[in-house]
Amino acid sequence: MQVVYQRCCGLDVHKKKIVACVITPEGKELQTFGTMTEDLKSLVKWLQSKECPIVAMESTGVYWKPVYNLLELFGIEAWVVNAQHIKMVPGRKTDVKDAEWIASLMRHGLLKRSFIPDRPQRELRELLRYRKSMIDERSRELNRMQKVLEGANIKLASVASDILGVSSRKMIESIIEGQSTPEELAQHAKGRMKAKKDKLAKALDGLVGPHQQMMLSEQLKHLDYLDEQIKRLDHAVARK
């Protein structure tokens, strides 16, 4: 079989250890490393000592990411390969270690690399994914607040399209502070909400207990925190 890469390495990456197999014209060598940054630097030095310019590893979980980042930093070409593709390549012996098998496939040009964006794009994707998770969490917390209000028979959502709008928020804050007269709460209506004061008074006629006031208070604080967090992430994304 034709040799495409004279010097290459296969990595079997796990949570706490990395098994590396380097194949060169001088032969084959296996080494095991830890996954701490110091261990990864030792891996890089070992690859450099073997004059190995290219490395392949499976795209399993997230454990490949710090390895990829460090190899990229030191100018070693890193391939991330779909695990299913490796399994589909015929001819593997059962006693061959994963790292050795990956290195052998790499050596003969039988691997297909997955697309990995450059570092700025990867960082941007991480920020966007985290931002989405915070937006999703905000929606869940808003739903929890809505359930507390409904449990107290406060039908604010039936009248206001946004229960965290300026008027609605002030009403919820007043409920938390113990101002429970429906007519008093309806007086916080601003703008177009003023025309709905009668409906609001009916919707705000509920029975709110101390534990519900406490829950609403904590939920409002959490929502404010999430809003600030999303805003900071927006700024970070804009700088990318």
Side-chain angles (χ1 to χ4, degrees):
M1 194 178 295
Q2 182 184 0
V3 174
V4 178
Y5 298 101
Q6 292 292 334
R7 295 176 179 271
C8 64
C9 177
L11 298 180
D12 185 19
V13 182
H14 299 273
K15 183 178 181 179
K16 294 184 178 180
K17 71 173 184 178
I18 300 170
V19 180
C21 176
V22 162
I23 299 178
T24 67
E26 292 77 39
K28 183 189 304 177
E29 185 175 344
L30 279 87
Q31 288 272 11
T32 300
F33 300 87
T35 55
M36 300 296 182
T37 302
E38 182 182 1
D39 302 319
L40 297 183
K41 288 180 179 178
S42 297
L43 167 63
V44 169
K45 287 181 180 178
W46 182 66
L47 291 171
Q48 290 172 333
S49 72
K50 299 298 178 181
E51 298 179 358
C52 178
I54 190 165
V55 171
M57 69 191 99
E58 290 182 350
S59 57
T60 306
V62 297
Y63 304 127
W64 62 270
K65 291 184 178 181
V67 182
Y68 185 94
N69 289 338
L70 203 63
L71 292 172
E72 181 184 53
L73 186 64
F74 282 90
I76 297 174
E77 186 177 354
W79 283 32
V80 178
V81 183
N82 189 298
Q84 288 300 118
H85 173 71
I86 292 176
K87 290 177 181 177
M88 286 167 55
V89 179
R92 180 178 182 178
K93 297 178 182 177
T94 56
D95 60 342
V96 175
K97 294 182 182 295
D98 287 340
E100 189 176 348
W101 178 238
I102 295 170
S104 178
L105 294 177
M106 185 71 180
R107 185 170 185 248
H108 295 102
L110 297 176
L111 293 181
K112 181 180 179 181
R113 69 189 303 179
S114 301
F115 171 72
I116 304 296
D118 59 24
R119 183 179 289 270
Q121 284 295 314
R122 294 201 302 274
E123 292 174 354
L124 178 60
R125 285 186 177 188
E126 285 186 15
L127 284 170
L128 289 172
R129 278 195 294 267
Y130 186 56
R131 179 181 178 275
K132 183 181 183 303
S133 69
M134 292 300 99
I135 290 172
D136 292 342
E137 175 57 26
R138 186 185 186 279
S139 296
R140 287 191 291 269
E141 187 70 325
L142 194 59
N143 288 335
R144 287 191 282 265
M145 174 179 278
Q146 177 60 30
K147 287 180 181 179
V148 174
L149 291 170
E150 287 289 340
N153 208 31
I154 301 294
K155 303 290 186 178
L156 184 58
S158 299
V159 182
S161 58
D162 180 8
I163 65 169
L164 280 186
V166 175
S167 300
S168 300
R169 182 187 174 100
K170 185 60 180 175
M171 293 171 195
I172 292 173
E173 288 174 342
S174 297
I175 289 171
I176 292 169
E177 292 166 4
Q179 184 180 344
S180 57
T181 304
E183 290 75 19
E184 290 179 344
L185 294 172
Q187 292 303 314
H188 293 302
K190 306 291 183 183
R192 287 179 294 179
M193 289 281 282
K194 287 182 178 180
K196 301 179 180 180
K197 282 186 178 180
D198 291 341
K199 290 183 178 179
L200 283 168
K202 291 181 180 180
L204 295 166
D205 187 9
L207 185 62
V208 183
H211 75 289
Q212 289 162 322
Q213 289 173 310
M214 185 274 288
M215 290 172 68
L216 289 170
S217 176
E218 293 305 313
Q219 287 164 343
L220 204 55
K221 290 175 187 175
H222 191 201
L223 286 164
D224 287 342
Y225 169 75
L226 291 170
D227 284 339
E228 285 298 318
Q229 199 168 22
I230 291 167
K231 191 183 297 183
R232 288 194 295 271
L233 287 165
D234 285 340
H235 290 321
V237 168
R239 289 195 297 269
K240 286 294 180 182

